[in-house]
Each structure stands twice: as C-alpha cells, then as structure tokens.
Amino acid sequence: MATITGPLTDDAKSTVVEALQGALVDLIDLTLVAKQFHWNLIGSHFRPIHLQLDELVSIAREHADTVAERVVALGANPDGRAATIARDTKLQQPEGGWQEDGKVVAAITEILSGISKRMYERIEATDEPDPVSQDLLIAVAKEIDKQHWMFQAQR
C-alpha cells in the first residue's frame, strides 16, 4: 500500500496536524449547527438570517475541504467522521424545535467567537513549524471573523 509523506519533521507534523484537525472539527460542526438553525428558524427576520446561515455553511464547507486536504498533503489522515465530530466538538449545540431568529443570531455569534479564538491559537501554534498551514488557518480566521461581525451586527 502506498503512503503519503509530507515535508515536515515528525514533531512539526504532529503539532500542525493537531491544529488542522481541530479546525476541521470546528468547521464540520459549524456546517451542522448552522444547518440545524437554518431548518428550524422562525421570526420576523427569517429570510435574511436563513440565507446568511446558508452562506456560512458554504464558507465552512469550502474551508473544511481545504483544511482536510492540507492534512493529507502533510502525510496524515483527516478525520471528519460523525463520531469524531461528536466527541471532539467545542461548539454549543442547538436545542431541538423551532429557533427564534434573535436567539439564533446570538447563538451563532457566540459560536463564531469561540471558533475565532481557537483559530488564533492554531495560527500561533503553526507559526514556526509550518507557515503554509498557518496561512491556510489565517484565511479561515479571516472568514470566521467576517461572519462573526455580520451576525454580531444584527444583535
């Protein structure tokens, strides 16, 4: 069986893959949480928030794929399995049932704030061992921060 090798030392690879795997978990669960809110949203601001949640899902999916592919390029295996996401997520999970638009905006704002904080920690962790992965995480943080601002402005 062929294996994929990457450009990093074992120590650097371990640090970077841990950061990227954490980002992958955040991004995959963000797509799930945002879709759950999207499907169950009610309120007078339904339409714009409904569409904004879809935009957030698209951004998170695109970045999740890029992050996972970077893990593979480093010679490791990304893990996006449902059991892994459920075990490792740090995201606040939505309650079941209808979700009032103001509460959804507040919840998504808090979720994005937490993801942003963790992205900055990952950016710092990857600074020395892998500037390429750090650059990828910076791009994710940029989009997360923008979405955070856009949801926060609606509170």
Side-chain angles (χ1 to χ4, degrees):
M1 174 191 302
T3 59
I4 307 298
T5 59
L8 304 179
T9 66
D10 288 344
D11 286 344
K13 178 178 165 181
S14 177
T15 298
V16 173
V17 168
E18 180 181 339
L20 293 172
Q21 179 62 36
L24 183 62
V25 169
D26 274 349
L27 291 165
I28 290 172
D29 202 25
L30 179 58
T31 67
L32 298 172
V33 167
K35 270 302 188 183
Q36 184 67 22
F37 281 133
H38 170 88
W39 295 322
N40 293 287
L41 182 68
I42 57 171
S44 60
H45 295 82
F46 166 83
R47 181 84 173 141
I49 296 169
H50 184 79
L51 295 174
Q52 189 175 5
L53 288 165
D54 262 347
E55 179 183 329
L56 180 60
V57 168
S58 293
I59 289 165
R61 283 182 179 157
E62 180 181 334
H63 283 293
D65 191 52
T66 302
V67 166
E69 289 175 352
R70 180 66 185 160
V71 172
V72 174
L74 295 175
N77 300 108
D79 191 350
R81 297 174 296 169
T84 302
I85 305 306
R87 181 190 70 220
D88 295 345
T89 190
K90 307 239 185 307
L91 275 62
Q92 170 191 345
Q93 299 298 300
E95 296 179 12
W98 303 119
Q99 302 290 318
E100 189 269 322
D101 54 9
K103 290 181 180 177
V104 168
V105 168
I108 288 290
T109 300
E110 290 306 310
I111 287 167
L112 291 171
S113 177
I115 292 172
S116 177
K117 180 179 182 283
R118 289 187 296 280
M119 286 299 166
Y120 280 89
E121 291 167 357
R122 295 171 184 132
I123 289 166
E124 186 175 328
T126 56
D127 179 39
E128 190 174 315
D130 186 17
V132 174
S133 293
Q134 182 191 45
D135 189 53
L136 187 152
L137 293 168
I138 289 169
V140 174
K142 176 186 164 197
E143 289 291 338
I144 293 297
D145 289 350
K146 179 180 177 183
Q147 290 298 313
H148 178 256
W149 151 57
M150 293 180 136
F151 276 96
Q152 191 176 33
Q154 297 178 69
R155 290 175 82 179

